[in-house]
């Protein structure tokens, strides 16, 4: 596609529920990144994929968070047993590969956990 | 110590003035440096990238890098009200993903 696409743009859920956030990167971009941004803070790294494999998942805060990219294109961030502290904007970004250069961001998925 | 530090601001400058935004980083092995602009409610967009010591100019924007001092700055000349946004400094080290600072909020007063 023309840009990084994220769905849903807004998600409101109740504490304890399961949530999936989807990211469709720019066509041909093999590197895909997930960040989380809380109000007044910069994006916080969660995980990145080079192709289908997670090259670095050191930013995932705990085992309730998981991400997949089974075919090397679309990625899904999965959050189990959501907590109020998970409320944030989840940003996805991609670039041609992981060797460097500009990250292109999607518009984000705003998650609110009540 | 945070890996990438920025003054949160707000930095307020009058229209037409030069805005100076600063960033320090902790990892001496960092190789690539980026400035992103983020309008409220929007995603970050790249303004400048810089990889070697010195200045890099692009229109009204100049990025400055001093690796010995672990310092990156962004100068915006002839500031416009449309430049009002949060400016994020980002640093890349090795094969790791970009690490972002918390951002500096810039307000340009008409």
């Amino acid at each position: 596609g023309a840009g990084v696409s994220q769905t849903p743009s807004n998600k409101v859920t109740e504490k304890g529920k399961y949530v999936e956030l989807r990211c469709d990167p720019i066509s041909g971009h093999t590197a895909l990144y997930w960040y989380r941004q809380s109000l007044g803070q910069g994006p916080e790294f969660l995980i990145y994929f080079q192709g289908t494999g997670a090259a670095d998942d050191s930013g995932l805060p705990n085992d309730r968070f998981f991400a997949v990219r089974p075919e090397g294109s679309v990625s899904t961030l999965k959050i189990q047993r959501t907590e109020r502290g998970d409320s944030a904007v989840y940003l996805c970004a991609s670039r041609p590969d992981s060797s460097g250069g500009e990250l292109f961001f999607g518009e984000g998925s705003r998650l609110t956990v009540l | 110590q945070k890996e990438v530090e920025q003054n949160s601001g707000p930095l307020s400058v009058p229209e037409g003035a030069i805005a100076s935004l600063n960033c320090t980083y902790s990892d001496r092995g960092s190789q690539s440096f980026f400035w992103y602009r983020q309008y409220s409610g929007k995603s970050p967009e790249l303004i400048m990238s810089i990889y070697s010591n010195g200045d890099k100019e692009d229109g009204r924007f100049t990025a400055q890098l001093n690796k010995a001092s672990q310092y990156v700055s962004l100068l915006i000349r002839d500031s416009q009200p449309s430049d009002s946004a949060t400016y994020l400094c980002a640093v890349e080290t090795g094969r790791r993903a970009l690490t972002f600072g918390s951002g500096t909020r810039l307000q340009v007063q008409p």
Side-chain angles (χ1 to χ4, degrees):
Chain A
V4 178
S5 175
Q6 292 189 247
T7 55
S9 55
N10 275 287
K11 175 72 176 177
V12 180
T13 191
E14 294 179 342
K15 181 175 178 295
K17 299 290 188 183
Y18 170 79
V19 166
E20 288 190 353
L21 306 175
R22 174 190 166 104
C23 173
D24 194 349
I26 292 172
S27 178
H29 282 193
T30 62
L32 183 149
Y33 300 77
W34 284 100
Y35 285 83
R36 175 169 72 174
Q37 188 172 25
S38 301
L39 195 63
Q41 300 297 313
E44 173 193 9
F45 170 70
L46 296 176
I47 184 171
Y48 93 86
F49 292 86
Q50 177 57 48
T52 60
D56 184 353
D57 65 357
S58 62
L60 294 177
N62 51 59
D63 61 6
R64 295 186 298 105
F65 289 75
F66 189 70
V68 296
R69 195 186 185 197
E71 297 177 359
S73 178
V74 170
S75 176
T76 305
L77 178 65
K78 307 181 181 195
I79 310 173
Q80 297 177 319
R81 304 183 304 280
T82 51
E83 300 178 356
R84 293 193 179 89
D86 298 335
S87 296
V89 176
Y90 289 80
L91 293 166
C92 178
S94 71
R95 59 184 176 185
D97 58 54
S98 58
S99 64
E102 178 182 358
L103 281 182
F104 295 85
F105 282 89
E107 288 301 316
S109 292
R110 179 177 297 279
L111 175 65
T112 302
V113 182
L114 301 177
Chain B
Q1 181 189 8
K2 287 186 181 178
E3 292 186 56
V4 181
E5 298 218 38
Q6 297 181 253
N7 188 318
S8 62
L11 172 66
S12 185
V13 300
E15 184 174 355
I18 295 175
S20 177
L21 304 160
N22 305 314
C23 170
T24 58
Y25 60 94
S26 61
D27 192 331
R28 283 195 170 275
S30 298
Q31 303 154 316
S32 306
F33 306 86
F34 305 85
W35 283 99
Y36 280 80
R37 178 176 63 198
Q38 187 172 30
Y39 292 113
S40 181
K42 298 294 186 182
S43 59
E45 56 178 335
L46 184 70
I47 298 295
M48 294 282 289
S49 58
I50 186 166
Y51 304 97
S52 55
N53 280 329
D55 294 1
K56 179 181 177 183
E57 187 174 319
D58 184 1
R60 296 187 295 112
F61 299 95
T62 299
Q64 299 174 317
L65 174 60
N66 184 325
K67 289 186 178 181
S69 300
Q70 295 174 245
Y71 178 90
V72 194
S73 66
L74 179 71
L75 300 178
I76 307 174
R77 288 181 298 282
D78 188 24
S79 296
Q80 301 297 308
S82 59
D83 294 326
S84 298
T86 296
Y87 289 80
L88 298 163
C89 173
V91 174
E92 185 162 33
T93 306
R95 303 292 286 189
R96 293 168 54 190
L98 266 63
T99 300
F100 285 83
S102 57
T104 298
R105 188 156 61 95
L106 173 66
Q107 295 176 339
V108 180
Q109 306 295 336

